[in-house]
Amino acid sequence: MPASGGKLARGPPDAGRCENVRSQRHHGPTDGSTFGPDEIPALPEAYTLIESASLAPLNTLRVAATARCLAELRDAEAIPHLLEHDAARHGVLVLGEGSNVLFTADFPGLVLRPAFEAVSVLEDSGATALVRAEAGMNWDSLVDWTLARGLSGLENLALIPGLVGAAPIQNIGAYGVEVADCVATVEAWDLVRRRLVRLSREDCGFGYRDSVFRRSPQRWIVTAVEFRLAQEPKARLDYAGVREELEATGSGEPTPRRVAEAVRRLRRRKLPDPAVIGNAGSFFKNPIVTRDEHRALARPNVVLAELSMGMSHDLEVAIHEGATLVRVGTAIFGARP
Ligand SMILES: Cc1cc2nc3c(=O)[nH]c(=O)nc-3n(C[C@H](O)[C@H](O)[C@H](O)COP(=O)(O)OP(=O)(O)OC[C@H]3O[C@@H](n4cnc5c(N)ncnc54)[C@H](O)[C@@H]3O)c2cc1C
């Protein structure tokens, strides 16, 4: 444990043995931080540490795992200090709402949970606005916050579970939109250079459910994301029934708010609420194949959605006991006559 003169604080009721729970306000150096102390919200305490913490309430599959130490982090400035913690020597895991993780064992190191969640408009050019949201803000709350200000860009991503800080990790996407479409800058703690850095959208190397953060998971702690959003809405409706859902619920302008509501209704019909039934959403990525491979897949019993162009190398079609099986990498899709 780092030396702490802080007072004892209560952890979550089911947070393991909770016998050593501490809170502390950290005022240490920021080691290359791109934001100064003036801009950091004045919080009474920077973090809470819980030893042998239960992770069961912190992942949507409710897998019962334990972390050697869990840090609820209310101030990004405390990150370098926490990385000196004993537990960090056994690994560091950033955990958001746990909607895209599967614990297969106890975590032997330090779990960091960003709980800083300030949001503001940094610039407003009239045509667009630059919004900065901190990593601990709930994603859907950010979508609502932008809609309340008449900003457009995130509406198709409404109701995706998780925190803002996790959104760039796998470049969340739904209903024809990816978060990369709106990301201007990602602010992250770089564990290799041991400083806070700002990555442009190009630096983030976004791909389909992919980014530099996902490719080097031990390197980055995302602390905030800046989004370039439009004042003039440009509705994207041509995907998986959004237009039909809007039409079914009345005519009129497809405002960003109406689009978000349509997306929320569609999502609620398709996926159980993780708060009610533990789940981690869809496990599958759409396979990406070339046009030739796409043609090769054509079979009377296989219904193929339109696929975008890309590279794929490991693909096979076979008929087995009357069923047509398509294998793409390790994923197997099947259809019976
Ligand atoms: C019902 C359901 C529906 C879903 N629908 C969609 C969907 O439509 N589209 C989609 O793209 N995803 C979807 N998901 C997946 C999930 O919502 C996203 O991946 C989301 O971004 C995860 O956020 P989280 O805060 O829960 O991250 P976690 O699950 O806590 O973490 C996911 C990964 O990101 C890392 N991470 C989290 N925060 C940070 C940070 N600040 N810095 C560095 N690394 C970090 C973690 O270490 C972990 O590797 C769905 C999940 C569920 C349960």
Side-chain angles (χ1 to χ4, degrees), residues 72-76 79 94-97 112-119 132-142 161-168 187 221-225 227:
E72 289 275 347
L73 187 58
R74 290 179 290 278
D75 188 335
I79 290 173
V94 190
L95 191 61
E97 290 187 353
L112 282 179
R113 287 197 88 217
F116 34 93
E117 50 183 341
V119 58
R132 179 181 188 276
E134 291 186 335
M137 184 174 195
N138 170 268
W139 174 259
D140 198 44
S141 303
L142 173 66
L163 300 184
V164 167
E187 193 181 272
I221 301 170
V222 172
T223 53
V225 185
F227 303 90

Side-chain angles (χ1 to χ4, degrees), residues 226-246:
E226 290 173 14
F227 303 90
R228 176 70 63 188
L229 301 174
Q231 304 274 12
E232 275 299 311
K234 210 171 97 186
R236 281 157 293 184
L237 309 177
D238 298 320
Y239 198 89
V242 180
R243 189 183 298 282
E244 292 74 10
E245 180 65 24
L246 275 168

Side-chain angles (χ1 to χ4, degrees), residues 58-61 92-102 112-114 116 135-137 139 156-175 188 209 213-214 217 220-224 267 271-274 277-282:
L58 306 181
N59 71 94
T60 60
L61 287 167
V92 175
L93 173 74
V94 190
L95 191 61
E97 290 187 353
S99 66
N100 210 16
V101 292
L102 172 58
L112 282 179
R113 287 197 88 217
F116 34 93
M137 184 174 195
W139 174 259
N156 293 44
L157 305 177
L159 210 60
I160 295 182
L163 300 184
V164 167
I169 308 299
Q170 66 148 7
N171 181 17
I172 58 168
Y175 296 96
R209 301 294 173 274
F213 312 108
R214 191 164 176 273
W220 307 101
I221 301 170
V222 172
T223 53
R267 294 186 67 96
L271 287 168
D273 177 355
I277 299 174
N279 76 93
S282 165

Side-chain angles (χ1 to χ4, degrees), residues 73-336:
L73 187 58
R74 290 179 290 278
D75 188 335
E77 197 190 8
I79 290 173
H81 184 67
L82 282 169
L83 294 176
E84 298 301 315
H85 189 286
D86 270 359
R89 289 192 288 115
H90 304 277
V92 175
L93 173 74
V94 190
L95 191 61
E97 290 187 353
S99 66
N100 210 16
V101 292
L102 172 58
F103 291 107
T104 55
D106 291 341
F107 189 71
L110 176 70
V111 172
L112 282 179
R113 287 197 88 217
F116 34 93
E117 50 183 341
V119 58
S120 59
V121 176
L122 298 181
E123 277 171 36
D124 188 344
S125 73
T128 66
L130 187 64
V131 170
R132 179 181 188 276
E134 291 186 335
M137 184 174 195
N138 170 268
W139 174 259
D140 198 44
S141 303
L142 173 66
V143 174
D144 262 344
W145 191 92
T146 61
L147 294 174
R149 281 149 190 85
L151 298 171
S152 167
L154 304 183
E155 55 273 18
N156 293 44
L157 305 177
L159 210 60
I160 295 182
L163 300 184
V164 167
I169 308 299
Q170 66 148 7
N171 181 17
I172 58 168
Y175 296 96
V177 173
E178 294 179 330
V179 76
D181 301 340
C182 297
V183 167
T185 306
V186 172
E187 193 181 272
W189 185 266
D190 180 345
L191 286 121
V192 172
R193 286 187 279 168
R194 297 190 65 79
R195 61 191 293 260
L196 198 68
V197 296
R198 288 168 58 79
L199 290 92
S200 68
R201 181 164 56 169
E202 292 67 37
D203 295 337
C204 293
F206 287 122
Y208 170 57
R209 301 294 173 274
D210 198 19
S211 70
V212 289
F213 312 108
R214 191 164 176 273
R215 293 193 286 277
S216 303
Q218 302 307 317
R219 179 163 181 184
W220 307 101
I221 301 170
V222 172
T223 53
V225 185
E226 290 173 14
F227 303 90
R228 176 70 63 188
L229 301 174
Q231 304 274 12
E232 275 299 311
K234 210 171 97 186
R236 281 157 293 184
L237 309 177
D238 298 320
Y239 198 89
V242 180
R243 189 183 298 282
E244 292 74 10
E245 180 65 24
L246 275 168
E247 284 166 4
T249 53
S251 56
E253 201 57 13
T255 60
R257 185 170 286 287
R258 283 193 64 217
V259 172
E261 281 161 7
V263 166
R264 288 189 177 121
R265 282 194 300 274
L266 284 166
R267 294 186 67 96
R268 286 194 178 106
R269 287 207 292 270
K270 282 185 187 165
L271 287 168
D273 177 355
V276 181
I277 299 174
N279 76 93
S282 165
F283 282 41
F284 298 102
K285 285 174 80 172
N286 292 325
I288 299 174
V289 298
T290 65
R291 280 266 174 247
D292 284 347
E293 288 167 333
H294 185 245
R295 272 192 288 273
L297 288 170
R299 291 289 187 283
N301 299 321
V302 178
V303 180
L304 291 177
E306 193 57 40
L307 304 177
S308 50
M309 281 295 276
M311 297 299 291
S312 173
H313 315 281
D314 186 16
L315 183 142
E316 214 174 23
V317 180
I319 308 289
H320 178 68
E321 293 179 355
T324 304
L325 300 178
V326 177
R327 182 180 64 77
V328 183
T330 53
I332 297 179
F333 305 84
R336 289 192 180 277

